[in-house]
Amino acid sequence: MLARKKKGSENWKKLKHEIAVLHEKMTDTRKDAIDKMTKRIICDSQADVIVIEDLNVSGMVRNHKLSKHIQDASFSEIRRQLEYKSLWHGKTLIIADRFFASSRTCHNCGWRNGGLTLGDRQWECPVCHTKHDRDRNAALNLESFGLKALAGDAGEVRPPEMLSVDDRTATHLRSMASVNEEKEHGYSMEAPKLA
């Protein structure tokens, strides 16, 4: 444990380096898993339309019991990758508004359960008596939202914005010819820094 080592000693430096290597490995493993998952969703599936929900992550993080897990899930990175991969592969990505009540609304009759809490994983609609699994119900509601959006009936649909290119991506996207041209002429074609 790092706190038990004398700060600045060789053992402290060695342990600090080992911890940094472990953190880097965990980060790389998460990034790889997200990349493979989004590739499966966009490239390997036969679906031409993908519907996701714009989640209020900053509000979800306020729940101290789940905040660490929510931050580890990297919802913004998943959405970012789905957006650019759908543009690359000609797929349609529909983003439901964050106020769309996907898990609270009965997919059968449309009744809205205002008293649903995070702990309620299953519930029954008092109007049509349909028993719902929370996640499956949300998926069915998002599916119907996507179908309405394709038909032009849903006014809440926001198409994905064109993504800004950060420095790392800009470096990968440049062709070898432009890199060689930079070296020959002595100027830089670096992407502007993002705020």
Side-chain angles (χ1 to χ4, degrees):
M1 201 160 131
L2 193 63
R4 293 182 182 172
K5 305 289 182 190
K6 185 178 178 184
K7 192 170 183 178
S9 68
E10 289 302 316
N11 285 335
W12 181 83
K13 290 176 186 175
K14 184 178 173 184
L15 187 58
K16 189 172 181 182
H17 176 72
E18 288 175 10
I19 292 169
V21 168
L22 284 174
H23 282 290
E24 186 176 8
K25 185 176 179 182
M26 287 190 308
T27 302
D28 290 343
T29 304
R30 283 190 185 122
K31 285 180 183 176
D32 184 57
I34 289 171
D35 186 51
K36 287 177 179 174
M37 177 191 65
T38 54
K39 182 180 181 289
R40 271 196 317 272
I41 292 170
I42 298 291
C43 304
D44 299 342
S45 72
Q46 295 179 352
D48 290 329
V49 179
I50 295 100
V51 183
I52 63 172
E53 205 171 355
D54 182 18
L55 298 172
N56 181 14
V57 178
S58 60
M60 293 166 69
V61 170
R62 290 188 197 129
N63 182 340
H64 68 279
K65 293 179 181 177
L66 297 174
S67 63
K68 179 79 172 130
H69 301 291
I70 290 167
Q71 289 171 343
D72 286 345
S74 303
F75 291 128
S76 62
E77 179 62 17
I78 292 169
R79 177 177 168 169
R80 186 188 72 82
Q81 288 194 24
L82 285 173
E83 284 177 339
Y84 82 77
K85 287 178 184 179
S86 63
L87 287 171
W88 280 359
H89 296 282
K91 305 280 179 118
T92 303
L93 180 69
I94 298 172
I95 302 169
D97 190 76
R98 71 172 50 187
F99 299 107
F100 176 68
S102 60
S103 54
R104 292 175 183 260
T105 306
C106 174
H107 73 270
N108 194 32
C109 69
W111 181 78
R112 186 170 176 179
N113 185 351
L116 192 69
T117 63
L118 192 60
D120 299 330
R121 304 313 300 168
Q122 296 181 349
W123 58 280
E124 184 177 345
C125 177
V127 178
C128 65
H129 303 289
T130 306
K131 293 182 180 178
H132 297 293
D133 173 71
R134 182 189 183 107
D135 297 329
R136 187 173 188 283
N137 181 52
L140 291 170
N141 281 328
L142 287 171
E143 179 187 23
S144 65
F145 180 87
L147 292 171
K148 287 178 185 175
L150 289 174
D153 295 338
E156 302 163 319
V157 177
R158 290 190 333 234
E161 299 96 19
M162 291 300 291
L163 300 172
S164 300
V165 180
D166 65 6
D167 295 334
R168 188 177 53 217
T169 309
T171 305
H172 292 299
L173 293 177
R174 285 186 290 163
S175 65
M176 287 308 294
S178 66
V179 173
N180 291 337
E181 188 180 33
E182 278 184 28
K183 290 177 183 174
E184 288 174 14
H185 297 291
Y187 62 85
S188 176
M189 295 175 64
E190 290 293 323
K193 300 265 188 229
L194 298 176

